[in-house]
Structures are given as C-alpha cells and as structure tokens.
Amino acid sequence: MERKRTIVRAEDLHYTYEDGTQALKGLDLTVQKGEKVAVMGANGSGKSTFFLHLNGILKPQKGRILIDETPIDYSRKGLLQVRKKVGIVFQNPEDQLFSASVRQEISFGILNLGVSEKEAEEKVDRVIEELGITPFAHKPTHFLSGGEKKRVSIADILVMEPELMILDEPAATLDPKHARMIDGIVDQLSGKGITVLLSTHDAERALIWADRVVLFDDGKVIGQGHPEDIFRSEELLRQTNLEKPAVLRIFDTLCEEGILDHKLRPPRRVEELMGYIREKGIKQL
Ligand SMILES: Nc1ncnc2c1ncn2[C@@H]1O[C@H](COP(=O)(O)OP(=O)(O)OP(=O)(O)O)[C@@H](O)[C@H]1O
C-alpha cells in the first residue's frame, strides 16, 4: 500500500508583525496529500498569517515549514519551486489582481511558469469556461464586481494547477449561486487528488466538505479532527466563536430526548439525519 505523503509540515511557527502583533505563537500542523482541510477560528486567530507562510510570502521568525518533506528554501529559485506547488487565493482579490484585463491577469502566472504560449492559452480558456468568466473575460479587472474579482483571483491560481491549493475564505463576497459554483470547483480539485486547505467561518459547509477541521485560536492550533466530532465539542465551539451546525443541533436534541440513539454516527447532511428519523418512524409504527 502506498504510504500517505505529507505535503505540509509546520513546526512551532512564530510570527510577530512589525507593530508587535504576535500572530503565530508556536503553531504546529501537518497536512497529508489529497486531504481536504477546513481551517477555522475567530477573526484574528492567525489563519491568513499561517497561509502566507505556506508559499514563502512570510518567513517564520522561529520554527520551520516543510513542503513535500523539504524545508522551504527562501532563495529566489527556491521560492519559485514552492510557488509552483502551493497556490494561494487571497481573502481580498484586490491584493492579487494586478493586470489590466481579465485574460492577461489569468495568463500572467502560468506564462511565468515557463509553459508555452499555446498551452497557456488552452489552459486559460478552460479555466475561464469552468468558472463562468466568459461574459466578462474581455473587461479590465478594475471594472469587475467584488464576486467577479473573486472568481478571477481563483482562476489565476487554478490555471497553474498547484498540488496544494489554499483558499482564504473563498465564499466571502459571493452570491449563493457563485458560492456553490466555487464549492463545485473545490470538490473537483480534491477529486483530482489536489490537497485543499480552505479557511471559512461556515461550519455547515465545513461539516459536509472537510476530511478534517483544524481550529485556530490565538496563533495556535487548539483542536483538530473529523468535523462531526469537532463541532460537537461545546468547549471548542465556544473558544473559537463557532456555532454548532443545525443538523448536529437537531441530532443531539433528538438523542437527548431519547428519540435517536447516541451510538448512531453523527450526520453530516440533512438527508442522513432524515434517514435516521425515517428508519425510527418505520420501526415505531
Ligand atoms: N500586516 C499586519 N500588520 C500588523 N498586524 C497584522 C497584519 N496582518 C495581520 N495582523 C494581525 O495579526 C493577527 C492575525 O491576523 P490574521 O489575518 O492572520 O487572522 P485571521 O485568523 O485570518 O482572521 P480573519 O478571520 O479575520 O480573516 C491579527 O491580530 C491581525 O490584526
């Protein structure tokens, strides 16, 4: 059997910004190749700061990061290598979009990777189509709406086909239809074996999607595990300002009232919960 490869190993990361804010205070985290990890935690708990370390934009003041079992090399050449493997979609697209037109913007990174113009063009066309960008592909990026900018910033990274894709709150600023579109793209990525690290405040979504939830608090990881276990810990939820997803709230109440059995596997989706309720109803008739 193939041994699981570790794609990210962060060891004892410390980072303090110039103004004295201690954003990371000894953070440890390991991510296996192909995993879908939801990173969650209160505002200011260090999620974005951690992400910026994973492709070498920030360098830890103490501790180290290994990508694919190799410590990040902060030379120009080393950083280019890391950025081929690790793509970050920033929380705020304004931090990412520089080119005049949408097409130029999406082509920029991939051309820099040394791909031929023809191949780059084909990949750019595919991503533009997949993310529904065609209707505004001819526009200058500064004329786009917030949600359109977000989709272009995702296309920017997606086109480079990184091994590890990091999405910092991808659904923020998107309407429900386009949030679902991004969910679909993220699912496709993980279906292709790409490792996805995604920060979100949406516990309902993390419960359905993630293999593992990692909770940040005050620059450290304070809990991690299967989403259904993490979201049933009242203590962890309180510490991280998160709310228990509705499907688990209903499940726990039905268990407390003796209607469902505590030993059942906690449901991730409403359909699973309905399955338990139907089964119970049929037996009681
Ligand atoms: N450039 C900066 N200069 C100074 N302090 C910063 C800077 N960027 C972030 N911080 C601070 O570092 C801490 C961690 O911020 P970070 O953005 O990593 O948190 P986060 O968990 O991503 O938050 P959110 O959920 O609000 O996106 C916060 O206290 C924040 O104010």
Side-chain angles (χ1 to χ4, degrees):
M1 207 176 73
E2 199 192 339
R3 192 174 69 89
K4 276 228 158 189
R5 256 172 63 203
T6 299
I7 188 148
V8 174
R9 186 187 301 281
E11 295 173 350
D12 194 32
L13 298 189
H14 286 74
Y15 190 84
T16 301
Y17 285 100
E18 272 181 17
D19 69 351
T21 308
Q22 285 183 275
L24 301 182
K25 301 181 182 174
L27 188 136
D28 293 296
L29 185 65
T30 302
V31 179
Q32 305 299 333
K33 201 158 170 53
E35 258 195 307
K36 296 185 279 184
V37 179
V39 176
M40 307 186 76
N43 292 136
S45 55
K47 303 178 296 291
S48 301
T49 305
F50 170 62
F51 289 161
L52 294 175
H53 278 77
L54 294 183
N55 75 351
I57 293 174
L58 295 180
K59 187 176 177 185
Q61 288 142 353
K62 184 172 169 234
R64 62 173 192 160
I65 299 159
L66 290 84
I67 300 293
D68 253 346
E69 319 267 12
T70 310
I72 294 183
D73 161 7
Y74 293 89
S75 70
R76 227 176 104 83
K77 200 167 147 234
L79 288 177
L80 200 67
Q81 286 303 320
V82 168
R83 287 172 193 164
K84 271 189 192 168
K85 288 189 179 169
V86 182
I88 301 187
V89 178
F90 292 103
Q91 194 169 11
N92 181 1
E94 305 290 344
D95 293 340
Q96 197 178 317
L97 306 181
F98 296 105
S99 306
S101 81
V102 168
R103 178 167 275 281
Q104 269 176 345
E105 175 62 46
I106 302 173
S107 311
F108 179 77
I110 185 164
L111 285 171
N112 269 355
L113 291 185
V115 171
S116 76
E117 265 188 50
K118 184 166 175 293
E119 196 186 338
E121 202 170 311
E122 282 167 10
K123 289 186 177 182
V124 170
D125 282 343
R126 199 175 325 134
V127 165
I128 285 180
E129 170 80 32
E130 270 178 5
L131 289 183
I133 288 171
T134 313
F136 52 89
H138 59 285
K139 285 196 180 186
T141 50
H142 62 271
F143 281 168
L144 304 183
S145 73
E148 289 167 348
K149 282 183 184 160
K150 187 77 194 183
R151 275 145 70 200
V152 172
S153 69
I154 293 173
D156 256 5
I157 303 300
L158 199 57
V159 75
M160 293 194 277
E161 301 171 345
E163 280 181 45
L164 168 64
M165 180 116 176
I166 298 171
L167 296 121
D168 202 346
E169 292 189 47
T173 78
L174 292 180
D175 63 38
K177 177 183 159 194
H178 291 109
R180 272 202 312 279
M181 178 190 272
I182 300 307
D183 284 353
I185 298 286
V186 170
D187 286 346
Q188 277 179 28
L189 291 175
S190 31
K192 286 183 199 162
I194 294 174
T195 313
V196 182
L197 228 68
L198 173 152
S199 83
T200 177
H201 294 290
D202 183 348
E204 317 274 343
R205 169 78 187 125
L207 179 65
I208 292 172
W209 173 80
D211 295 325
R212 184 154 58 109
V213 170
V214 176
L215 295 181
F216 277 34
D217 182 44
D218 195 22
K220 286 199 286 286
V221 172
I222 57 156
Q224 53 180 310
H226 291 297
E228 60 271 39
D229 297 329
I230 292 290
F231 294 140
R232 292 175 85 213
S233 160
E234 304 291 342
E235 174 64 18
L236 287 175
L237 292 173
R238 195 186 46 71
Q239 266 182 284
T240 47
N241 295 352
L242 287 170
E243 280 184 2
K244 191 187 281 190
V247 68
L248 290 179
R249 277 209 307 275
I250 299 169
F251 174 73
D252 284 342
T253 308
L254 293 175
C255 288
E256 276 159 31
E257 300 205 349
I259 297 168
L260 291 181
D261 188 339
H262 277 285
K263 290 196 208 96
L264 286 169
R265 193 167 54 89
R268 287 189 171 201
R269 297 170 184 271
V270 173
E271 294 76 18
E272 277 175 62
L273 177 62
M274 288 308 295
Y276 291 154
I277 294 170
R278 268 193 218 106
E279 203 173 297
K280 188 78 192 174
I282 289 163
K283 276 185 198 150
Q284 278 178 346
L285 280 175

Coordinates of all heavy atoms in Angstrom, one line a residue, residues 17 19 21 23 41-49 91 169 201, ligand 1:
Y17 N 4.2 40.6 13.7 CA 4.3 41.7 12.8 C 5.1 42.9 13.3 O 5.3 43.0 14.5 CB 2.8 42.2 12.4 CG 2.1 41.2 11.4 CD1 1.2 40.3 11.9 CD2 2.4 41.2 10.1 CE1 0.6 39.4 11.1 CE2 1.8 40.3 9.2 CZ 0.9 39.4 9.7 OH 0.2 38.5 8.8
D19 N 4.4 45.8 14.0 CA 3.8 46.7 15.0 C 3.7 45.9 16.4 O 3.1 46.4 17.3 CB 2.4 47.1 14.6 CG 1.4 46.0 14.6 OD1 1.8 44.8 14.7 OD2 0.2 46.2 14.4
T21 N 2.3 42.9 16.9 CA 1.2 41.9 17.0 C 1.8 40.5 16.8 O 2.3 40.1 15.8 CB 0.1 42.1 15.9 OG1 -0.3 43.4 15.9 CG2 -1.1 41.1 16.1
A23 N 1.1 37.2 15.8 CA 0.0 36.5 15.1 C 0.1 35.0 15.2 O -0.9 34.3 15.2 CB 0.0 36.9 13.6
G41 N -11.6 29.4 12.9 CA -11.2 30.1 14.1 C -11.6 31.6 14.1 O -12.0 32.1 13.0
A42 N -11.7 32.2 15.2 CA -12.2 33.5 15.3 C -11.4 34.5 14.5 O -10.3 34.2 14.1 CB -12.1 34.0 16.8
N43 N -11.9 35.7 14.2 CA -11.2 36.7 13.5 C -9.9 37.0 14.2 O -9.9 37.0 15.5 CB -12.0 38.0 13.4 CG -13.2 37.9 12.6 OD1 -14.3 38.4 12.9 ND2 -13.1 37.4 11.4
G44 N -8.8 37.1 13.5 CA -7.5 37.4 14.1 C -6.8 36.3 14.7 O -5.8 36.5 15.4
S45 N -7.3 35.1 14.5 CA -6.6 33.9 15.2 C -5.4 33.4 14.5 O -4.7 32.5 15.0 CB -7.6 32.8 15.4 OG -8.2 32.4 14.2
G46 N -5.1 34.0 13.3 CA -3.8 33.7 12.6 C -3.9 32.9 11.3 O -2.9 32.5 10.8
K47 N -5.1 32.7 10.9 CA -5.3 31.8 9.7 C -4.6 32.3 8.4 O -3.8 31.6 7.8 CB -6.8 31.6 9.4 CG -7.6 31.0 10.5 CD -9.1 30.9 10.2 CE -9.8 32.2 10.0 NZ -10.0 33.0 11.2
S48 N -4.9 33.6 8.1 CA -4.3 34.2 6.9 C -2.7 34.3 7.1 O -2.0 34.0 6.1 CB -4.8 35.6 6.6 OG -6.2 35.6 6.5
T49 N -2.3 34.6 8.3 CA -0.8 34.7 8.5 C -0.2 33.4 8.3 O 0.9 33.3 7.6 CB -0.6 35.2 10.0 OG1 -1.3 36.4 10.2 CG2 0.9 35.4 10.2
Q91 N -7.7 36.3 0.5 CA -9.1 36.7 1.0 C -9.6 37.9 0.2 O -10.7 37.9 -0.2 CB -8.9 37.1 2.5 CG -10.2 37.2 3.3 CD -9.9 37.3 4.8 OE1 -8.7 37.5 5.2 NE2 -10.9 37.1 5.6
E169 N -11.1 32.0 2.8 CA -12.5 32.4 2.7 C -13.0 32.6 1.3 O -13.4 33.7 1.0 CB -12.7 33.7 3.6 CG -12.5 33.4 5.0 CD -12.9 34.6 5.9 OE1 -14.0 35.1 5.7 OE2 -12.2 35.0 6.8
H201 N -15.7 30.5 7.8 CA -16.5 30.7 9.1 C -17.8 29.9 9.0 O -18.6 29.9 9.9 CB -16.8 32.1 9.4 CG -15.5 33.0 9.6 ND1 -14.8 32.8 10.8 CD2 -14.9 33.9 8.9 CE1 -13.7 33.6 10.7 NE2 -13.8 34.3 9.6
Ligands
LIG1 N1 0.2 43.4 8.2 C1 -0.1 43.3 9.5 N2 0.4 44.1 10.4 C2 0.1 44.0 11.7 N3 -0.8 43.1 12.3 C3 -1.3 42.3 11.4 C4 -1.1 42.3 10.0 N4 -1.8 41.3 9.4 C5 -2.5 40.7 10.3 N5 -2.2 41.3 11.6 C6 -2.7 40.9 12.9 O1 -2.3 39.5 13.1 C7 -3.4 38.8 13.8 C8 -3.8 37.6 12.9 O2 -4.4 38.1 11.7 P1 -4.8 37.1 10.6 O3 -5.3 37.9 9.4 O4 -3.8 36.1 10.4 O5 -6.1 36.4 11.3 P2 -7.3 35.5 10.6 O6 -7.5 34.3 11.5 O7 -7.0 35.2 9.2 O8 -8.5 36.5 10.7 P3 -9.9 36.7 9.9 O9 -10.8 35.5 10.3 O10 -10.4 38.0 10.4 O11 -9.5 36.7 8.4 C9 -4.5 39.8 14.0 O12 -4.4 40.3 15.3 C10 -4.2 40.9 13.0 O13 -4.7 42.1 13.4

